Amino acid sequence: FMEMQNGFPGIVGAIDGTQIAISAPSINNELFPPLLFYNRKGFYSLNVQIICDSKLKIMAINARFSGSVHDAAIWTTCQIRELLRNNYIDGDYSSWLIGIY
Protein backbone atom coordinates (compact mmCIF):
# COMPACT_ATOMS: atom_id res chain seq x y z
CA PHE A 1 0.00 0.00 0.00
CA MET A 2 3.00 2.29 0.40
CA GLU A 3 3.76 1.93 -3.32
CA MET A 4 0.42 3.52 -4.19
CA GLN A 5 0.20 7.23 -4.92
CA ASN A 6 -0.14 8.94 -1.51
CA GLY A 7 0.57 5.54 0.11
CA PHE A 8 -0.88 4.24 3.36
CA PRO A 9 1.81 3.76 6.02
CA GLY A 10 1.46 0.56 8.02
CA ILE A 11 -1.33 -0.96 5.91
CA VAL A 12 -0.45 -4.58 5.09
CA GLY A 13 -3.77 -5.56 3.48
CA ALA A 14 -7.45 -4.86 2.93
CA ILE A 15 -10.20 -6.98 4.49
CA ASP A 16 -13.91 -7.34 3.85
CA GLY A 17 -16.67 -9.89 3.77
CA THR A 18 -18.87 -10.67 0.81
CA GLN A 19 -22.04 -12.69 0.44
CA ILE A 20 -21.66 -15.47 -2.15
CA ALA A 21 -25.08 -16.65 -3.31
CA ILE A 22 -25.91 -20.36 -3.02
CA SER A 23 -28.95 -22.48 -3.80
CA ALA A 24 -31.35 -22.80 -0.89
CA PRO A 25 -30.38 -25.78 1.29
CA SER A 26 -32.82 -28.65 1.68
CA ILE A 27 -35.50 -27.97 4.29
CA ASN A 28 -34.90 -31.51 5.59
CA ASN A 29 -31.27 -30.87 6.49
CA GLU A 30 -31.15 -31.07 10.30
CA LEU A 31 -27.41 -30.31 10.52
CA PHE A 32 -27.54 -27.19 8.32
CA PRO A 33 -31.06 -25.73 8.33
CA PRO A 34 -31.77 -23.21 5.54
CA LEU A 35 -32.28 -20.36 8.00
CA LEU A 36 -28.54 -20.44 8.82
CA PHE A 37 -27.73 -19.49 5.24
CA TYR A 38 -30.41 -16.79 4.79
CA ASN A 39 -28.68 -13.41 5.01
CA ARG A 40 -29.96 -9.95 5.91
CA LYS A 41 -30.01 -9.03 2.22
CA GLY A 42 -32.74 -11.58 1.54
CA PHE A 43 -31.01 -14.52 -0.14
CA TYR A 44 -29.13 -17.72 0.76
CA SER A 45 -25.37 -17.37 0.88
CA LEU A 46 -21.99 -18.03 2.41
CA ASN A 47 -20.31 -15.04 4.06
CA VAL A 48 -16.73 -15.11 2.75
CA GLN A 49 -13.96 -13.06 4.38
CA ILE A 50 -11.16 -12.02 2.03
CA ILE A 51 -7.86 -10.25 2.74
CA CYS A 52 -5.92 -8.91 -0.23
CA ASP A 53 -2.85 -6.79 -0.91
CA SER A 54 -2.72 -3.47 -2.77
CA LYS A 55 -2.58 -5.28 -6.12
CA LEU A 56 -5.77 -7.25 -5.22
CA LYS A 57 -3.82 -10.48 -4.78
CA ILE A 58 -5.75 -12.63 -2.31
CA MET A 59 -3.61 -13.28 0.76
CA ALA A 60 -6.24 -15.07 2.86
CA ILE A 61 -9.79 -16.32 2.38
CA ASN A 62 -12.29 -17.85 4.80
CA ALA A 63 -15.46 -19.40 3.37
CA ARG A 64 -16.51 -21.41 6.45
CA PHE A 65 -19.45 -19.27 7.57
CA SER A 66 -23.08 -19.19 6.53
CA GLY A 67 -24.74 -16.05 5.21
CA SER A 68 -26.46 -15.25 8.51
CA VAL A 69 -23.10 -14.73 10.27
CA HIS A 70 -21.99 -11.08 10.55
CA ASP A 71 -18.57 -10.01 9.25
CA ALA A 72 -17.51 -8.94 12.74
CA ALA A 73 -18.23 -12.42 14.14
CA ILE A 74 -16.03 -13.98 11.46
CA TRP A 75 -13.26 -11.51 12.31
CA THR A 76 -13.30 -12.60 15.98
CA THR A 77 -12.32 -16.15 14.88
CA CYS A 78 -9.68 -15.05 12.36
CA GLN A 79 -6.12 -16.30 12.99
CA ILE A 80 -4.72 -13.22 11.27
CA ARG A 81 -6.58 -11.06 13.80
CA GLU A 82 -4.88 -12.97 16.59
CA LEU A 83 -1.47 -12.59 14.91
CA LEU A 84 -1.90 -8.83 14.43
CA ARG A 85 -3.20 -8.47 18.00
CA ASN A 86 -0.24 -10.35 19.46
CA ASN A 87 2.21 -8.34 17.36
CA TYR A 88 0.56 -5.13 18.60
CA ILE A 89 0.84 -6.27 22.23
CA ASP A 90 4.52 -7.03 21.56
CA GLY A 91 5.09 -3.46 20.34
CA ASP A 92 4.56 -3.70 16.56
CA TYR A 93 2.35 -0.69 15.84
CA SER A 94 3.09 -0.68 12.11
CA SER A 95 0.89 -3.48 10.72
CA TRP A 96 -2.75 -2.72 9.98
CA LEU A 97 -5.57 -4.02 7.81
CA ILE A 98 -7.86 -1.52 6.16
CA GLY A 99 -11.52 -2.44 5.92
CA ILE A 100 -15.05 -1.84 7.08
CA TYR A 101 -16.61 -3.77 9.97
Side-chain angles (χ1 to χ4, degrees), residues 1 6 14 17 19-20 25 28 30 38-39 52-55 57 60 74 77 80 83-84 90 96-98 101:
F1 286 87
N6 302 320
Q19 300 288 337
I20 305 297
N28 299 323
E30 294 178 14
Y38 198 74
N39 68 38
C52 68
D53 67 12
S54 63
K55 294 178 176 56
K57 178 182 173 188
I74 297 172
T77 70
I80 293 170
L83 174 70
L84 290 172
D90 291 340
W96 302 93
L97 291 176
I98 189 169
Y101 274 113

Side-chain angles (χ1 to χ4, degrees), residues 49 71-79 81-82:
Q49 178 189 72
D71 291 354
I74 297 172
W75 175 241
T76 63
T77 70
C78 184
Q79 291 178 347
R81 174 188 177 267
E82 194 64 24

Side-chain angles (χ1 to χ4, degrees), residues 7-100:
F8 292 97
I11 303 299
V12 295
I15 183 171
D16 202 359
T18 187
Q19 300 288 337
I20 305 297
I22 61 170
S23 298
S26 167
I27 60 172
N28 299 323
N29 191 329
E30 294 178 14
L31 187 58
F32 299 107
L35 189 57
L36 288 177
F37 296 90
Y38 198 74
N39 68 38
R40 63 184 175 81
K41 298 180 181 193
F43 60 93
Y44 295 97
S45 68
L46 295 176
N47 191 351
V48 179
Q49 178 189 72
I50 301 171
I51 300 173
C52 68
D53 67 12
S54 63
K55 294 178 176 56
L56 302 180
K57 178 182 173 188
I58 294 175
M59 298 165 42
I61 190 164
N62 181 348
R64 297 182 304 143
F65 290 88
S66 62
S68 65
V69 178
H70 192 275
D71 291 354
I74 297 172
W75 175 241
T76 63
T77 70
C78 184
Q79 291 178 347
I80 293 170
R81 174 188 177 267
E82 194 64 24
L83 174 70
L84 290 172
R85 181 182 169 277
N86 289 339
N87 288 350
Y88 185 85
I89 290 169
D90 291 340
D92 176 6
Y93 307 119
S94 63
S95 298
W96 302 93
L97 291 176
I98 189 169
I100 300 174

